[in-house]
Amino acid sequence: MSPQPQVERPGLRERKKAKTRAAIQQHALRLFHKQGYEATTVEQIAEAAEISPSTFFRYFPTKEDAVMWDDLDPQIIPAFESQPAELSPIQALRRAMGEVLTRLSTEERTAVWRRAQLILSIPELRMRMLDQFTAANDQAITNILAELVAKRMGHRPDEFAVRCFAGALMGVMLAAIFASANDPQADFIELIDAGLANLEAGMPL
């Protein structure tokens, strides 16, 4: 088995910023859930988080961004890259997501569900989510997946087969998001792993 590359841990300053950003988002989601997205103002979120509105805007350019920010992607990407080379891309992704998602606390899992439910219920947030998946820039999730898969398999990220594969992975994630948002009892971690397992098996019905 080939050795796994070491994943560089973020510095103290970056970890503090991430912790503050997560706390702001937590307060925002709680207020959105309690009183509605439209009725909640940046000033109310800032007050709940015990920061100034100007500090809020240093972390989130808009109220939308307080919902759309996802701190899991920066964790899953290095976890994927550190998986053994002999694993297939789907196996590596399943293991990476399992390593990251199983560490979530009950409160963090609840926050994931609330975010999904909120994003799907607000038209502008739903459109923003789709844009994050499919936008023509390096930050789009489809493009990130294509880059990761291509690097692992020794292909170019713009190859049609790689793009199709990345699109299939994105489809699994979207299906898991929709299913978990519509069912508070559903386990997002189990759904996405089951979807990836089904994709790996050739999508049998």
Side-chain angles (χ1 to χ4, degrees):
M1 181 178 293
S2 56
Q4 296 186 16
Q6 295 295 316
V7 178
E8 185 177 352
R9 190 183 183 197
L12 178 60
R13 183 177 181 182
E14 288 73 21
R15 296 200 302 272
K16 284 184 175 180
K17 289 176 65 176
K19 186 176 180 180
T20 300
R21 187 176 285 109
I24 296 171
Q25 185 186 61
Q26 183 180 18
H27 285 292
L29 292 175
R30 178 178 57 79
L31 289 173
F32 294 151
H33 182 73
K34 180 181 179 181
Q35 60 191 36
Y37 177 77
E38 295 295 342
T40 301
T41 65
V42 167
E43 288 72 20
Q44 290 172 330
I45 298 170
E47 182 179 1
E50 297 183 342
I51 59 173
S52 66
S54 61
T55 299
F56 174 94
F57 288 119
R58 284 206 297 271
Y59 286 91
F60 298 109
T62 67
K63 190 169 71 169
E64 280 185 10
D65 290 298
V67 180
M68 303 309 301
W69 177 71
D70 188 346
D71 67 338
L72 297 179
D73 290 344
Q75 300 176 58
I76 292 171
I77 290 172
F80 175 86
E81 293 177 321
S82 69
Q83 297 305 317
E86 60 266 24
L87 295 183
S88 71
I90 295 179
Q91 290 171 332
L93 184 58
R94 289 180 68 188
R95 184 178 293 188
M97 297 193 76
E99 290 175 1
V100 173
L101 298 178
T102 54
R103 293 199 299 260
L104 297 180
S105 65
T106 301
E107 292 76 14
E108 289 169 329
R109 290 187 183 213
T110 299
V112 169
W113 176 75
R114 283 183 175 176
R115 280 186 66 243
Q117 189 181 49
L118 183 64
I119 289 170
L120 295 181
S121 65
I122 306 296
E124 57 263 40
L125 296 178
R126 188 165 61 248
M127 292 301 298
R128 180 76 175 272
M129 178 189 70
L130 294 175
D131 188 58
Q132 283 188 348
F133 273 92
T134 60
N137 60 59
D138 292 340
Q139 300 306 310
I141 294 176
T142 305
N143 294 336
I144 292 173
L145 288 171
E147 289 280 353
L148 291 171
V149 170
K151 181 179 179 181
R152 186 174 192 85
M153 302 305 294
H155 291 274
R156 297 193 322 273
D158 62 346
E159 290 180 23
F160 183 66
V162 173
R163 302 296 301 177
C164 288
F165 189 83
L169 293 176
M170 185 186 72
V172 168
M173 294 180 187
L174 281 173
I177 290 171
F178 276 89
S180 62
N182 292 325
D183 181 5
Q185 302 304 316
D187 189 314
F188 177 76
I189 298 173
E190 292 180 358
L191 285 172
I192 198 161
D193 188 66
L196 290 173
N198 195 42
L199 178 61
E200 187 174 22
M203 302 298 285
L205 295 175

